[in-house]
């Protein structure tokens, strides 16, 4: 029974680490559309974990608006969480300059 418990704990930890790594990869992918690797590394390091998912979604919409044929980013199309995520990115970016 003890072996099963230890195995379960290891699986849960591994899954959470993979999820965090995937979120960081997605964050970097969206960030690198408009910023340098060095800037994105700094922003990522200062980004609150609870804002990361919303920031990714907000940056995805923002990046789509900057592509050829994209429409201007209408803030009314962003959820409150996405706006807070983008705010967190801007605050982190300002402290990285």
């Amino acid at each position: 029974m003890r072996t099963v418990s230890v195995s379960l704990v290891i699986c849960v930890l591994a899954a959470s680490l993979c999820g965090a790594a995937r979120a960081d990869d997605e964050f970097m992918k969206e960030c690198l559309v408009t910023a340098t690797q060095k800037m994105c590394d700094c922003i990522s390091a200062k980004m609150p974990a609870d804002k990361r998912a919303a920031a990714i979604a907000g940056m995805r919409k923002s990046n789509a608006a900057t592509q050829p044929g994209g429409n201007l980013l209408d803030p009314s199309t962003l959820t409150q969480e996405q706006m807070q995520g983008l705010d967190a990115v801007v605050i982190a970016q300002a402290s990285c300059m």
Side-chain angles (χ1 to χ4, degrees):
M1 183 66 167
R2 187 177 205 183
T3 303
V4 172
S5 296
V6 171
S7 296
L8 182 60
V9 168
I10 290 172
C11 288
V12 169
L13 288 174
S16 65
L17 289 175
C18 289
R22 187 171 149 254
D24 193 50
D25 289 344
E26 289 182 40
F27 182 87
M28 292 301 286
K29 177 184 171 193
E30 296 303 328
C31 183
L32 288 169
V33 171
T34 57
T36 66
Q37 179 74 41
K38 183 178 177 183
M39 179 61 78
C40 289
D41 287 339
C42 181
I43 294 169
S44 180
K46 295 176 184 279
M47 191 70 186
D50 63 329
K51 302 287 186 204
R52 188 171 292 270
I56 292 167
M59 286 191 301
R60 196 171 283 138
K61 285 184 177 182
S62 177
N63 290 341
T66 64
Q67 297 304 310
N71 296 321
L72 290 176
L73 182 62
D74 181 0
S76 69
T77 64
L78 298 172
T79 66
Q80 183 177 3
E81 291 81 19
Q82 290 168 344
M83 286 293 289
Q84 291 172 349
L86 287 176
D87 286 345
V89 170
V90 171
I91 291 166
Q93 184 179 24
S95 69
C96 290
M97 295 182 143

